[in-house]
Amino acid sequence: MTDPNAIQPSALDQLPDRDPEETAEWRASLDAVAREAGPHRAAYLMRRTLERAEAGGIALPKLLETDYVNTIPTAAEPTVPGDEAMEARITAWNRWNAAAMVTRGSKYGVGGHIATFASAAWLYETGFNHFFQGKEADGSGDQLYIQGHASPGIYARAFLDGRLNEGHLDNFRQESGGNGLPSYPHPRRLPWLWEFPTVSMGLGPLSAIYQARFNRYLTNRGIKDVSASHVWAFLGDGEMDEPESTAALALAAREELDNLTFVINCNLQRLDGPVRANFKIVQELEAQFRGAGWNVIKTLWGSAWDELFQLDTTGALVRRLREVPDAQIQTYQTRDAAYIRADFFGKDPALVEMAKLLSDDKILECFHLSRGGHEARKVYAAYKAAVEHKGAPTVILAQTVKGHTLGEGFASKNANHQMKKLTVDEFKTMRDLLGLPIKDSDFADGQVPYGHPGADSPEVRYLQERRAALGGPAPARRTHALAPLPAPAEKAFASFDKGSGSQNVATTMAFVRLVKDLVRDKETGKRWVPIVPDEARTFGMESLFPSLGIYSPKGQTYEPVDRDQLMYYKEAKNGQILNEGITEAGSMADFIAASSAYATHGEAMIPFYIFYSMFGWQRTADQMWQLGDQLGRGFLVGATAGRTTLTGEGLQHADGHSPVIAATNPAALTYDPAFAYEIAVLVREGLRRMYGEAKPGEDQNVFYYLTVYNEPLPQPAKPAGLGIDEGIVKGLYRFNTAESAGVTAPANAPRIQLLGSGTAIHWALEAQQLLAEEWGVAADVWSATSWSELRRDAMEADAALLRGEERVPYVRQALQGAEGPVLAVSDYMRQVPDQIAQWVEQDWSSLGADGFGLSDTREAARRHFGVDAQSIVVAALAQLAKRGEVKATAVKEAREKYGL
C-alpha cells in the first residue's frame, strides 16, 4: 500500500538535482513548520514564497488562488483625488432615481431591474468620476461595456447630468411613442448614448476582448493611434457561466491586452439564486483568470473588516472566510448578530474569542454592509492598479450585495432580480438611509418622485466638471461626419462582366479575386479587414498571406516552414488579415469591432468575414443580432454554401437554412448570387450604400450576407440590356428566355418561368434545355439574387398600401406579363424561395433541399433532394399538366425516363 506521507514523484524528478542535500534541507524545513506550527502556517509560508517568486520574475507555475481577502491592503490604498462626500451624494441621487424610474414604470407592466445597479453603483460612479475617458479629445476615448441590467443607473446619472429629463425616465421601456428609453444598452434604439449592446449575456465580455484587440490592430496598422483608449467591461458573476464570457481569455493574455479591464460585480447572485451556492465564485474566477494569464485584483471587503483582520493573529478568520460557501454568505446578510456569532464565529475556538471583542453592531456592519465594491476608496485603488498594470489584461473581482441600500426586503434575496418596485414606505426608508432631501409631501398620490438637486447644484457642477476633465460625457456614442469613401476603380468590378470563358470558377474564388483587386486600391485598400476562422486555404485565400500579412502583435518571431514558397505563411505586426483560428464567435467579435469603427474611432473600416456558411448564422446568429444593434457595416460571406454543393461533408456541414435565419435579421441584406458578375455588382453596391453616398432615406447601418459556392463552373458574361444591375440589387432579373438561350421548342409551346438562386440556376439552365428538347416546353430562366430583399420590398409595399399609397412590389413588376406558371428552386429548404410566393401573381411552386444533409456526390445529393435538372423538369411538367397545357401522362413518362 502506498504511504500517503511519502514524497510522490514529480516532473522535477526527471531532471538532474545538482544539490540533493540542499533540496532535502528545504523539504525538511517545510515538514518542520507543518509539524510545529500546523499545516495552515506551512501553507501560508508556501503561498507567500510563491508570490515572492512570481514578483521577482522567477519562472514558476502561477499561484491560481489567493486568500479570500482584498488583493490591495488598506495601507496600500491611494487617496481618492476628489471629494468623496460629494461623490457619495451623487451616487445617492442615482440610486434613488434608478429605483424610482423602474417603480414608476411597473404600473404599466413594462418591468425593469433595480437590484443590479444597487449593487454596482460605486463601480460605475468611481469610473465616471476618475477613469472613463470621453470622446471630445480624440474622438475615441474609452469603450464602456455596461452590464445590461444596470441600465437604469446609467439613465439616472444621465438625468442628473442633464442629458435626460423626467419625460425620458417616465418612458423607460416605452419607446413606441418616441422620447423613450430602451430597456438595455441598445445603440440602434438610443444611438447618441449607447455604444455596445451587452444584455445578451456573454457577448459583452467576448466583444470587449476583441474590441481591445482591434484597438491594437488599428494602432499597429497605422490607421489611427488609439493606444490611449481603454476598454472596460462590466459583467455579472452569474454571466461568467456563459461560454462566450471566457472563450477568449487566453487570447487577451497571449496578446498582452493591458488596454482591457473586466470588472465583475460579484454579488454572488444570478437570476434565481446563488451563483455558486456550495462553492465560492470569486475563487473559481480567480483561478480561471490567473490560469489564463490575467492580472487579478480582488476587492472583497470594506474598511469595517480592517479591525477583524488585525485581530486575526492565527489566520482563523481567513481560513473561515475561505471555507464558507457563497450561499451561506448570503444568509449572513439576512440574519441577526446572534446567528452570525454562532454559525460563522462559533466554528473555531480562535474565532469564538475574536467575536467576544466585537459588538453586535460591528458584526452587522461587517456582514450586512461592508463590501469592497461599495466603497469608493477600495474601487479607486483597484481601478488605478488595473490601468497601471502592464503586460496583461486585468480582472477586478468586486464583491457587492445585490439590492444594497434598497432595504431588508431586497438585499441578498433570491427573488430580487424579479422584484420590480418598492413601496412608498420602503422608499422613505431608503431616503433616510441615503440622506436625500425629499419630503413626505413629495409623494403625491402615492407616486414616488424623481430627485434632482438642481442644474446649478454643487453635485451637478462637480459631476460635469469631472466629466469635462476626462473628455466629455460617458457613455456616449459619436456618429462622426465622415466623408464618403471614394468608390474603387470600376475596372475591378467590370473585369467580371465578360465571364470566365472556358475556365471553371467557383463563386467563392470569384469573390476572393475581387477582394484581391480591391485591397490594392490606393484610396480604400488599407481599410479592408479580411477575417477568416482558420479556413483561408479552403476558400483559396492563401495568396493574400504574403501580400497582406496575417496580423500578429508579435510580428513573426520564427522562420515559417514554407518560407521558400510563393504563398508562404507571413505574420506581421501591421498585418491586415485577421486569421482567428477555429472560433466563429471570435471572428464575429472581430467583425463587430471593425464594422462599427466608423463610430467608435471615426475610422471607416470595411470588414469581410468569410466562413463555412453552415457555421455562421447557425452558430453565431445571436452575434449577428448584436451586430445589427451596434449599427455595424460590412460583408458577411457564407462560403461552401448550399445543402448539396459541399461534396461528401455530410449532415453537419450541409447548409440548407442560413438564408432563413438571415432573413430574420432586419439589418441583414441577404443575397444568394449565382454568377461572378452578380457578386461584383453587389459588392460595388454595398460599398456605395454603407460607405459612399447614401440615397435619400437610405439606411447605411446595414450589413450584407453573400452566399458563395465551392463548385467550379463556367461563369457567363453579364447579359446585355438595361436594368440588369438594378435587378441584381433588388433581387430578381431575367437571365435569358428560351429564345435567347437558343433552345429549340415548337411554336406556341407551353411556357414556364424558372427562378433559380445561387448554384441552383445551373440546374435550371440544364432543365431549360431538357424541357425544350425532350418535352416541347419553352422555359425562361430568372436569377433570384435575393428572395429576402424581394420579400422586404413587398412588405414595404403592403405597408404603403395600408397608408393609402399605391405601390406595386418589385417582384410583381419584374414578372409582369411573364407567361405560364412559376417554379422556383434553390439549394436551400423550400421556405427560402417561398418567402415571396404570396406576391407572385402566376401559379407558384417550389423545390428545395429540405431535411438533413448527407454525404455523397453533388449529383447524388441533388437527386436525393429532388432539385437536380431532371427533377426540375418533372416538377415543371406537373405544373403545366395541372393547367392542362401538357398531357398528364407526360409527368409519369418523365419520372420513368429519368429514374425518379
Side-chain angles (χ1 to χ4, degrees):
M1 184 175 180
T2 304
D3 181 358
N5 297 315
I7 297 175
Q8 300 301 311
S10 74
L12 293 177
D13 292 324
Q14 300 179 49
L15 305 175
D17 187 344
R18 68 181 186 183
D19 195 341
E21 186 175 344
E22 182 183 37
T23 304
E25 290 174 358
W26 276 81
R27 286 174 168 172
S29 296
L30 180 62
D31 292 342
V33 171
R35 185 171 57 253
E36 300 298 330
H40 296 300
R41 178 61 180 171
Y44 176 87
L45 291 175
M46 288 302 301
R47 286 199 301 273
R48 293 298 176 262
T49 301
L50 286 171
E51 289 171 356
R52 178 65 178 173
E54 184 176 337
I58 299 173
L60 285 173
K62 289 183 178 293
L63 186 67
L64 295 186
E65 284 189 36
T66 60
D67 288 326
Y68 201 67
V69 296
N70 294 348
T71 302
I72 303 171
T74 300
E77 292 170 1
T79 301
V80 179
D83 188 334
E84 291 188 54
M86 182 69 72
E87 292 175 19
R89 293 203 296 275
I90 292 170
T91 304
W93 285 116
N94 292 340
R95 290 181 183 279
W96 178 272
N97 288 320
M101 175 174 54
V102 176
T103 297
R104 286 166 69 117
S106 67
K107 67 180 180 181
Y108 302 110
V110 296
H113 301 285
I114 303 177
T116 295
F117 177 73
S119 67
W122 274 112
L123 301 180
Y124 291 107
E125 193 60 36
T126 302
F128 284 131
N129 285 323
H130 302 286
F131 293 94
F132 303 158
Q133 297 294 319
K135 298 181 177 297
E136 292 180 357
D138 66 354
S140 289
D142 288 354
Q143 288 80 57
L144 309 180
Y145 288 77
I146 305 294
Q147 191 178 0
H149 292 137
S151 63
I154 308 305
Y155 291 139
R157 196 174 198 278
F159 169 64
L160 205 65
D161 192 14
R163 295 200 288 164
L164 296 175
N165 57 41
E166 288 192 12
H168 289 112
L169 301 193
D170 268 344
N171 282 310
F172 174 60
R173 291 193 171 197
Q174 298 176 77
E175 298 179 77
S176 60
N179 207 38
L181 299 179
S183 53
Y184 302 124
H186 290 305
R188 185 168 285 274
R189 291 301 183 200
L190 202 62
W192 60 267
L193 180 74
W194 298 119
E195 275 196 288
F196 307 109
T198 56
V199 83
S200 189
M201 287 191 282
L203 300 189
L206 178 69
S207 294
I209 290 173
Y210 281 88
Q211 181 66 57
R213 183 188 189 229
F214 190 74
N215 290 357
R216 290 278 174 85
Y217 173 89
L218 286 179
T219 301
N220 289 338
R221 287 198 55 220
I223 302 292
K224 182 180 181 181
D225 185 355
V226 294
S227 55
S229 291
H230 199 88
V231 178
W232 299 82
F234 289 83
L235 319 169
D237 47 359
E239 182 177 6
M240 301 312 293
D241 283 345
E242 289 284 4
E244 295 89 350
S245 295
T246 55
L249 297 187
L251 168 72
R254 183 170 66 247
E255 299 202 359
E256 300 178 356
L257 297 180
D258 49 25
N259 61 339
L260 170 68
T261 297
F262 276 15
V263 181
I264 303 182
N265 178 19
C266 297
N267 56 35
L268 312 185
Q269 288 185 249
R270 52 163 80 117
L271 276 62
D272 287 333
V275 178
R276 293 291 183 272
N278 297 295
F279 306 93
K280 301 190 80 63
I281 185 59
V282 168
Q283 299 300 92
E284 178 181 319
L285 292 175
E286 178 184 28
Q288 193 170 16
F289 278 87
R290 281 186 181 275
W294 287 52
N295 176 44
V296 179
I297 299 173
K298 293 196 290 191
T299 302
L300 307 180
W301 308 112
S303 55
W305 283 82
D306 290 349
E307 179 183 341
L308 277 66
F309 289 125
Q310 289 299 315
L311 294 173
D312 186 28
T313 57
T314 66
L317 176 63
V318 172
R319 291 197 299 273
R320 182 69 178 132
L321 287 173
R322 187 179 178 87
E323 70 187 19
V324 175
D326 283 351
Q328 193 63 21
I329 293 287
Q330 299 295 85
T331 298
Y332 295 150
Q333 179 71 34
T334 63
R335 302 300 291 269
D336 58 21
Y339 178 88
I340 298 171
R341 284 182 186 276
D343 192 85
F344 181 82
F345 293 97
K347 304 295 185 181
D348 188 296
L351 293 180
V352 171
E353 294 302 312
M354 180 188 293
K356 292 177 181 178
L357 304 174
L358 305 174
S359 67
D360 284 357
D361 286 345
K362 181 66 175 179
I363 289 175
L364 293 178
E365 179 187 14
C366 288
F367 283 86
H368 284 192
L369 301 174
S370 188
R371 299 292 187 274
H374 295 323
E375 293 190 13
R377 188 176 295 262
K378 305 289 185 185
V379 176
Y380 180 87
Y383 286 8
K384 187 172 187 293
V387 297
E388 292 177 353
H389 185 82
K390 301 302 177 186
T394 293
V395 60
I396 296 169
L397 304 174
Q399 187 161 276
T400 65
V401 174
K402 194 167 186 177
H404 184 58
T405 74
L406 296 180
E408 293 182 0
F410 264 84
S412 292
K413 299 292 186 181
N414 281 342
N416 60 20
H417 192 81
Q418 279 72 34
M419 296 164 70
K420 310 300 183 186
K421 60 184 178 179
L422 279 71
T423 65
V424 169
D425 287 342
E426 286 172 329
F427 267 110
K428 290 178 178 179
T429 300
M430 181 183 177
R431 171 201 62 189
D432 296 340
L433 175 64
L434 298 176
L436 292 173
I438 297 173
K439 302 185 293 291
D440 285 355
S441 59
D442 292 335
F443 291 83
D445 300 322
Q447 176 82 295
V448 57
Y450 295 120
H452 200 292
D456 196 39
S457 64
E459 292 93 335
V460 173
R461 288 202 305 272
Y462 180 90
L463 180 157
Q464 292 176 341
E465 288 168 0
R466 292 305 309 145
R467 289 310 317 155
L470 289 167
R477 181 180 182 274
R478 292 286 182 266
T479 302
H480 302 266
L482 300 179
L485 293 182
E490 182 62 24
K491 180 180 178 181
F493 306 104
S495 64
F496 291 89
D497 290 352
K498 60 185 179 182
S500 64
S502 60
Q503 182 184 10
N504 289 339
V505 177
T507 52
T508 298
M509 184 54 64
F511 176 81
V512 171
R513 287 181 183 177
L514 176 61
V515 169
K516 284 175 65 177
D517 289 338
L518 294 176
V519 296
R520 295 192 188 105
D521 185 82
K522 292 180 180 180
E523 295 287 339
T524 60
K526 68 178 182 179
R527 297 191 175 276
W528 283 87
V529 184
I531 303 168
V532 60
D534 200 37
E535 289 282 3
R537 298 182 192 278
T538 300
F539 307 138
M541 290 176 59
E542 66 268 28
S543 61
L544 298 177
F545 289 170
S547 58
L548 300 184
I550 299 164
Y551 173 72
S552 169
K554 296 288 187 183
Q556 193 155 38
T557 61
Y558 61 92
E559 183 177 353
V561 67
D562 53 0
R563 182 63 180 85
D564 58 343
Q565 297 179 15
L566 181 63
M567 293 184 287
Y568 70 97
Y569 196 82
K570 176 187 174 184
E571 295 188 83
K573 190 172 183 179
N574 64 346
Q576 194 164 351
I577 302 169
L578 292 172
N579 191 321
E580 288 306 347
I582 305 174
T583 168
E584 284 83 6
S587 299
M588 267 307 300
D590 265 336
F591 187 90
I592 291 170
S595 70
S596 53
Y598 72 93
T600 309
H601 294 299
E603 295 288 344
M605 304 300 288
I606 311 171
F608 80 85
Y609 165 34
I610 188 166
F611 51 88
Y612 259 85
S613 63
M614 184 67 168
F615 303 131
W617 286 87
Q618 174 170 291
R619 183 166 291 188
T620 58
D622 195 12
Q623 287 177 284
M624 273 69 162
W625 273 98
Q626 181 189 13
L627 167 64
D629 194 347
Q630 200 164 313
L631 309 172
R633 305 169 184 174
F635 297 95
L636 296 175
V637 183
T640 60
R643 181 150 281 164
T644 70
T645 306
L646 184 59
T647 54
E649 293 285 349
L651 185 149
Q652 268 192 300
H653 284 64
D655 170 24
H657 53 276
S658 70
V660 176
I661 307 174
T664 66
N665 192 309
L669 277 59
T670 302
Y671 288 90
D672 186 25
F675 305 123
Y677 66 79
E678 293 178 350
I679 292 172
V681 169
L682 293 171
V683 171
R684 181 179 59 195
E685 170 66 8
L687 290 173
R688 181 207 62 78
R689 176 167 179 174
M690 295 184 289
Y691 302 98
E693 293 283 357
K695 298 175 183 177
E698 191 173 52
D699 185 6
Q700 285 189 285
N701 299 315
V702 296
F703 59 92
Y704 283 66
Y705 175 53
L706 308 179
T707 54
V708 293
Y709 299 82
N710 73 325
E711 184 175 12
L713 291 165
Q715 294 297 323
K718 187 177 181 180
L722 298 175
I724 298 298
D725 285 10
E726 180 188 26
I728 291 170
V729 172
K730 288 190 172 182
L732 183 68
Y733 69 97
R734 183 155 50 193
F735 177 73
N736 69 18
T737 63
E739 291 74 20
S740 66
V743 297
T744 304
N748 301 318
R751 188 172 290 269
I752 189 168
Q753 308 299 316
L754 302 180
L755 277 58
S757 69
T759 196
I761 201 168
H762 295 281
W763 322 330
L765 290 169
E766 185 181 348
Q768 181 186 50
Q769 296 282 338
L770 294 174
L771 283 167
E773 295 170 2
E774 300 182 7
W775 304 99
V777 172
D780 301 336
V781 175
W782 299 68
S783 179
T785 54
S786 179
W787 308 102
S788 61
E789 285 303 293
L790 292 172
R791 176 179 175 82
R792 184 172 289 167
D793 170 80
M795 291 173 67
E796 290 172 358
D798 285 354
L801 192 62
L802 293 176
R803 296 192 300 268
E805 304 170 16
E806 288 294 332
R807 182 176 158 194
V808 179
Y810 174 79
V811 64
R812 191 169 294 167
Q813 294 178 45
L815 290 171
Q816 187 174 13
E819 298 178 36
V822 168
L823 173 60
V825 60
S826 79
D827 204 10
Y828 300 94
M829 54 199 302
R830 289 176 61 184
Q831 186 176 341
V832 174
D834 284 349
Q835 292 178 81
I836 66 169
Q838 72 185 81
W839 292 282
V840 174
E841 293 181 314
Q842 292 88 342
D843 291 340
W844 173 271
S845 63
S846 64
L847 296 175
D850 286 78
F852 289 113
L854 77 165
S855 301
D856 214 313
T857 64
R858 292 185 180 115
E859 293 74 16
R862 287 162 187 166
R863 175 58 59 92
H864 169 82
F865 286 109
V867 294
D868 60 351
Q870 291 77 14
S871 298
I872 293 173
V873 169
V874 172
L877 293 174
Q879 279 287 89
L880 293 169
K882 191 184 300 182
R883 294 161 57 95
E885 296 181 20
V886 299
K887 295 179 180 179
T889 55
V891 180
K892 180 181 178 183
E893 291 173 15
R895 279 202 307 266
E896 293 174 350
K897 178 181 179 71
Y898 300 132
L900 296 177

